[in-house]
Amino acid sequence: MGKLSEWEARLQVAKESGYNMIHFTPVQGLGKSNSAYSIKDQLKLNPVYQSKGRKETLNDLGKIIQKMRNEWKILSICDIVLNHSANESPWLQAHPECAYNLVNAPHLRPAYLLDRALWHFTLEIIAGTWKAHGITQNDISREQLQRVGAVLNDCVIPKLKIEEFYILDVEKIVEEFRDKALDQGPNLSLFPPGLNLEIVQDPQYRRLQCGIDMELALKLFNREKNTVAQGEDRVVLCCAELRTQLMLLNRRAREVIDSHLKQAITCIIAGLEYFWLQDGGPKWKRVTKEDSISYQYFTHPGADTCLADDEALMDSKKAAFVMAHNGWVMNDDAMKNFAEPPSMVYLRRELIAWGDSVKLKYGQQPEDNPYLWKHMKEYVTETARIFHGVRLDNCHSTPIHVGEYVLDAARKIQPDLYVVAELFTCNEKTDNIFVNRFGISSLIREAMQAGDAHTLGATVHRYGGEPVGAFIQPPARPLTPCIAHAMLMDQTHDNPCPIKTRSVYDLLPNSALVSMSCCATGSTRGYDELVPYHVDVVKENRIFKSWSDASVDFACPSIGIKAGIIAGKKALNKLHQGLGAQGYNQVYVDQVDTNIISVTRHCYNTHKSVILVAHTAFQMPKKANETGHIPPLCVPGIVDEIILEARLVQKANGPVIEDKAFIAGLPDYVCEIRQHIQLKESDMVELSEEGERNLQVVDFSSFTPGSVIALKVSMNPSTTAAILQLRTALSQFGYRMRSYSGSRLTNKQGTDFRSIVQRMSLIDINRVLYRCDAEEKDDGKAFGAYEIPDKGPFVYCGLQGFISVLQDIRATNDLGHPLCENLRNGDWMPEYIAARLLVHPGTKELGKWFQQVFGFLQQIPRYLIPCYFDAIIYGAYTIILETIWSKMSEFVRTGSGFVKALALGSLQMCGQTKNAPLPALSPNLLAPKPPCCINAETGRKEQACATLAAGLPHFSHGIMRSWGRDTFIALPGLLLIPGRFQEARYIILAYAQCLRHGLIPNLLGGGTHARFNCRDAVWWWLQCIQEYCRIVPNGHTILKDLVSRLYPTDDSLAEEAGFCEQPLEDVIHEALQKHYQGQQFTERNAGHSIDENMRWEGFENCIGVDETTGFVFGGNVHNCGTWMDKMGSSEVSGNRGKPATPRDGSAVELVGLSKSALRWLIKMHEKGFYPYDTLNKVVDGKVQKMSYKKWDCLIQENFEKHFWISVTPNPKLEEAPQLINKRGIYKDSYKATLAWADYQLRCNFPIAMVVAPELFSPENAWIALNAAEKVLLGPLGMKTLDPSDWAYRGNYDNSNNSGDPSVAHGFNYHNGPEWVWPVGYFLRAMLHFASRVSDAEASSKTVALLKSVLSIHYEEIQRSPWRGLPELTNEKGAYCKDSSPTQAWSMSTILEVMFDLHNKG
């Protein structure tokens, strides 16, 4: 740059080239090497910039920088070097503690000795000492490399005895041990397990001064010896054992040090191979002091005498001035300081050392090295005062806490400090640590690193902003990971000349491609001016030329616009800045052929584009003036103008003349450039023809290597109009849509999407959002789930199926996804969405809206369809969700995101299906009456009630859709809590109509094909009616609702609705009466027609009440009447027809549910809402009665006595103590046929705790719940069996066809896999009893547990494409392929937890 007074004229070159920021290498005083990055005095201007007779300072430089900003509008940045300082830094002589030296870093002493030995070896080679070994100063050959390695290994390094710094003086330690052992006597304590003697490193790293833990040695070796007398004889034996151990430790230490030294030799030889022999290396001619055998790793403050003097110096006052050089370690962990222990980098010679600078030692805080922290803070803040930004040199080695400290101080001076850095961590995650901690604005990346055009294109794409056609991001969206913002350089200042590594013709196209990236860009003067050699920041003494507006020739000390590619760079910089300022933030890179790349920059706001095509030349072209075959360019729109066309042309072919005074470029090459011309005026391209569907085709007529062309493209009028219509439609979704003129768009009246959706019922919205493939096909409208060829169907037919996929690809702008490809290839997907809605009356209006909007979508370029399609679908989806929640209860409307997500289970599961209807309700039912529709096939009016699917997709249609127990476990959470009271009412009454044998159906089958083979559904039904009366305003009126009995008697055939009617309260009483009387019956149509696996005995059913305990009981060992209902089906294993979990007798949750029902009905009777309070039956011809209260009291009196397994054994009260596997729990059943089954720890007892907490002693309940948490609670679900149980098998695989009966055909369905719905009852039980135990911290711990567990459920809902909670997982939360991905009761019971939390405040 010359003298400071000359800078302005030289800096003007950057201004005239169109740059808006200039990067300065360090401007402070430099060390002896003159390297720009070896700074001697961080606080003073480099004196070489001072004019004769003047002493300019940093303040004078600041005036130039300020003028550049104010008058030229150019900012500036300067390097800061934090990791090292020049060897000659005067302040280091006053403060040697600021560098790593042999006093403050004694672990470097062995490495220093090795370093000195290598230096003496170099001197000896120069002196001819090693000629006898075939090593001479002038022999630079591979053979000499081998001889050098051998001499180092055999002669030079062994005599250093480096291992002595790391090993023990065995005899000295044994003697110390002997004295202590004699004084103390034998150690009689137990032998301490797991303790081993290790070498304790001497902190000062002196020879043979390492030690051991003597106290531990005495414990381990000072023991009694039975074979000899006490006293010295015993101690002699102890010493011998210790000596053996110490020698073993020394041998191991020697082996470690030997491996380090062998690595050192490997590194030395590898370095010499590069310097002596490798292509690309400097190829030294001889060994000299400058070109020595190895880098010098340390400064040496003395004469080169001998190794003995060097070792003596380590213990002298000069040791503080033996300072470690800084450098670079290949593939090192950037998060670790290679100069701190335990690193052995300096001993292993793995450092590529910078011999002109020493590494600075900051410590962990300013107090550790006050002068250094103060000095470097002042240096950085002064730099920030003058410049507008900084470049962090050697950033990857900068201690993070140091960088944060000085940059924080700099930002107080310059709040908008622009920070750039070049990181070499080889790991983007590590890069991001530095970026985030330092607040780095841009990471420097280099286009010249690309080895071919394909890689160059990929580089522009990677750092080039959003892709063209990027998704329109919603106003509120989750944060997503991204790569750090780049400053993409044509070439950085410290890399080889691109004219030599590629070709001169490549510089213009390379720069053009960089300019099209959507990030900061930059270059060097040497690059722009076609300087044919590397401008070395250490060795270069010539200066750059100044600017002149006049036409100048090569010999002048100034340059103008025609020099190098400056004219091209000016135009490209203007283009780059304009694209950024005007919002051209989308980028598309296309590899046209091997050497040609096109880059499109697109503006979303205007949908205008700039397309740049560059003909690269990574090698010198053989025919520089020939175009060759280039595929035509298809332009999606109309070419408005050619912004620029440029090429590099060789005008002469003379020899390169080296300028001794100035840095000069090639004079024979000229950049020809034309700007802002029409397509017909181009010398490079011509319009081929009008393309189909708004396309223009451009042919390349003269596009030689080194050519560049940039086209400005806009949409045609019809496309522009269609996009405006789409934006108008999108404006109602919250997108900030504007017209091309910039005005805010508003939606027209009459097409308001929100009002359309508001008029729809939640049953209609179920069809819009959800419906799995089987549900859709059940309608018979010829629709199923949309399927992308070779990709598979979406999980839902409704919008959620599309949203689940779009959400992931939107976040990452994955426009290569098959969904996007499908949209670009045709209009099938939008047409499907509209068509399936048009065929149903309740969704027809919405279908028309989509049909109209998608009509506009068809008129825009195919590459834009994915982004607008996504915006339409996401915007519609958002409004629909808001509408759903607005139609629900206040708890949901004002609830958290998790509550709302769970409440959507109500929409997923509750819908109307053709082949799984509710039985027709009473025609005399009081209003509101059930909804009706006209059957399209018969023309008759039919009831159109919704049903609850047990799970999707496995339990979604036909007889497998509606399960009694599943329905009523799920109904409170999915219908009552969200406020869908009428749908709940209709379902409760429909199942009441089917009561038979005192039971409601297990499988509904429309009522006429119901199966009555479960004992628990009726109790869940009663619990649900109780919840209805509690939650719904005046809910008790349901007890008076008329029920049309489908089966007036247990043996009657199905009757029409209205034939036999009675109030619901009578049906409830009958259910209890039947249980009290006891029932035994064979299931109708028993045999393989209704269950192909069950044995005949399994069709025999019984229920009853044990009058001694009040416990309901039923079932037998051949069937399974509770939710754990897996029936074996494997012929191979022999488990067919065997229930995995019969749970006959009195199942714990049924006892709790029956107690809950009785307690509630007693209260309802007392309030006058329920007429019954007594049951009767005939026994031996006599009527026997039992009141509800007596039954209730029996259960209360007997529950703890028969179900609690106490923590401490009590043989008098335990019926079968030999069967107890775990204590402090509640039994799973009472009086099961398989007696051991009673004692299994399962997840059922918390259900009883929630519905009938009065049965439980709070302290016992808390013990049992803690056991369940410890043993059964998994990440997402609860184990269905204690893992210590002999029957536990944690992984469910229904396709298992092995001979193992415990798992074949999924026999272990309820014997270990972790089900989700029991978690809800477990957490509710914890919440209830936490406030009722003596543990003062129980409540706070429980709330913490709930938050921890529920956070995983929230994450699962957000992650699942079904947007639900699964039926179950395998052990430890592992994915289970045979589980329903979304299950009604899973969503419901977790929502009930949230409801309880809300009610408890």
Side-chain angles (χ1 to χ4, degrees), residues 837-887:
L837 298 179
L838 287 168
V839 298
H840 294 281
T843 59
K844 188 173 183 178
E845 188 179 6
L846 186 63
K848 288 181 178 179
W849 186 92
F850 276 117
Q851 190 177 49
Q852 180 185 27
V853 171
F854 288 149
F856 299 128
L857 192 70
Q858 295 174 8
Q859 300 174 41
I860 69 176
R862 303 307 301 185
Y863 71 88
L864 288 177
I865 286 179
C867 75
Y868 278 101
F869 173 82
D870 170 70
I872 294 165
I873 298 301
Y874 183 80
Y877 176 75
T878 302
I879 297 296
I880 291 169
L881 292 187
E882 291 174 3
T883 304
I884 290 169
W885 294 322
S886 74
K887 291 174 179 283

Side-chain angles (χ1 to χ4, degrees), residues 811-829:
T812 57
N813 272 316
D814 183 9
L815 291 169
H817 191 279
L819 180 147
C820 299
E821 189 68 18
N822 187 264
L823 284 168
R824 287 190 291 266
N825 290 340
D827 299 318
W828 313 291
M829 197 181 300

Side-chain angles (χ1 to χ4, degrees), residues 859-1097:
Q859 300 174 41
I860 69 176
R862 303 307 301 185
Y863 71 88
L864 288 177
I865 286 179
C867 75
Y868 278 101
F869 173 82
D870 170 70
I872 294 165
I873 298 301
Y874 183 80
Y877 176 75
T878 302
I879 297 296
I880 291 169
L881 292 187
E882 291 174 3
T883 304
I884 290 169
W885 294 322
S886 74
K887 291 174 179 283
M888 289 185 170
S889 65
E890 183 182 2
F891 167 68
V892 173
R893 285 197 306 273
T894 60
S896 65
F898 186 31
V899 165
K900 290 178 176 178
L902 289 166
L904 290 178
S906 174
L907 271 289
Q908 290 174 17
M909 302 298 172
C910 187
Q912 184 189 355
T913 56
K914 184 177 180 181
N915 294 321
L918 290 181
L921 299 177
S922 168
N924 302 309
L925 188 65
L926 294 176
K929 291 181 178 292
C932 294
C933 66
I934 303 300
N935 187 312
E937 297 175 2
T938 66
R940 296 177 59 184
K941 187 176 182 181
E942 293 180 350
Q943 178 181 287
C945 290
T947 55
L948 278 176
L952 304 177
H954 304 333
F955 308 110
S956 60
H957 67 291
I959 195 170
M960 299 302 288
R961 178 179 176 88
S962 297
W963 294 69
R965 82 169 61 86
D966 296 63
T967 293
F968 293 108
I969 292 173
L971 192 145
L974 296 191
L975 295 182
L976 294 179
I977 290 175
R980 300 183 68 178
F981 301 145
Q982 291 310 313
E983 285 101 333
R985 174 178 173 238
Y986 302 143
I987 291 172
I988 289 170
L989 296 175
Y991 274 87
Q993 293 185 180
C994 302
L995 188 80
R996 204 174 200 176
H997 307 293
L999 302 174
I1000 67 164
N1002 182 22
L1003 290 166
L1004 182 62
T1008 56
H1009 295 80
R1011 287 195 66 187
F1012 295 88
N1013 63 328
C1014 71
R1015 309 190 310 276
D1016 60 346
V1018 67
W1019 298 110
W1020 285 109
W1021 173 70
L1022 287 169
Q1023 184 68 26
C1024 201
I1025 299 171
Q1026 180 183 167
E1027 294 298 317
Y1028 182 96
C1029 293
R1030 181 175 66 88
I1031 294 174
V1032 179
N1034 296 316
H1036 62 274
T1037 59
I1038 194 174
L1039 300 177
K1040 307 300 180 184
D1041 273 337
L1042 289 178
V1043 174
S1044 282
R1045 295 295 297 274
L1046 198 58
Y1047 305 105
T1049 68
D1050 290 344
D1051 297 323
S1052 64
L1053 298 175
E1055 300 290 354
E1056 292 290 329
F1059 176 79
C1060 176
E1061 298 194 331
Q1062 59 184 149
L1064 178 62
E1065 59 195 19
D1066 289 2
V1067 182
I1068 293 172
H1069 182 67
E1070 180 182 328
L1072 298 182
Q1073 184 84 5
K1074 291 284 187 179
H1075 277 79
Y1076 177 59
Q1077 292 171 349
Q1079 303 291 310
Q1080 289 190 345
F1081 64 93
T1082 302
E1083 192 177 356
R1084 280 162 181 74
N1085 304 313
H1088 289 175
S1089 64
I1090 61 171
D1091 193 322
E1092 63 182 1
N1093 296 308
M1094 189 177 285
R1095 298 177 182 178
W1096 182 260
E1097 300 91 334

Side-chain angles (χ1 to χ4, degrees), residues 697-717:
V697 179
V698 175
D699 288 331
F700 293 90
S701 55
S702 178
F703 202 64
T704 56
S707 297
V708 171
I709 188 168
L711 313 172
K712 185 177 181 180
V713 178
S714 62
M715 302 287 185
N716 63 44

Side-chain angles (χ1 to χ4, degrees), residues 64 111 127 264 299 339 342 354 373 446 470 517 602 614 783 806 882 917 959 963 972 1097 1133 1135 1259 1271 1333:
I64 296 174
T299 60
W354 302 323
W373 286 74
E446 185 181 14
S517 61
H602 182 80
F783 287 99
L806 286 167
E882 291 174 3
I959 195 170
W963 294 69
E1097 300 91 334
S1133 70
N1135 68 22
E1259 295 299 330
V1271 177
V1333 294

Side-chain angles (χ1 to χ4, degrees), residues 1019 1072 1074-1079 1102-1114 1145-1147 1150-1151 1154 1158 1175 1177 1184 1186-1187 1190-1199 1201-1203 1215 1229-1232 1238:
W1019 298 110
L1072 298 182
K1074 291 284 187 179
H1075 277 79
Y1076 177 59
Q1077 292 171 349
Q1079 303 291 310
C1102 75
I1103 57 172
V1105 177
D1106 184 337
E1107 292 189 52
T1108 63
T1109 62
F1111 300 163
V1112 292
F1113 67 85
S1146 300
L1150 301 196
V1151 175
S1154 61
L1158 289 166
L1175 304 164
K1177 64 180 177 180
Q1184 180 177 311
M1186 181 166 67
S1187 68
K1190 181 179 178 182
W1191 187 1
D1192 179 82
C1193 289
L1194 277 173
I1195 300 173
Q1196 185 69 46
E1197 292 167 2
N1198 287 283
F1199 184 81
K1201 179 166 54 176
H1202 292 297
F1203 275 92
E1215 298 169 10
S1229 57
Y1230 176 66
K1231 288 190 175 179
D1238 287 348

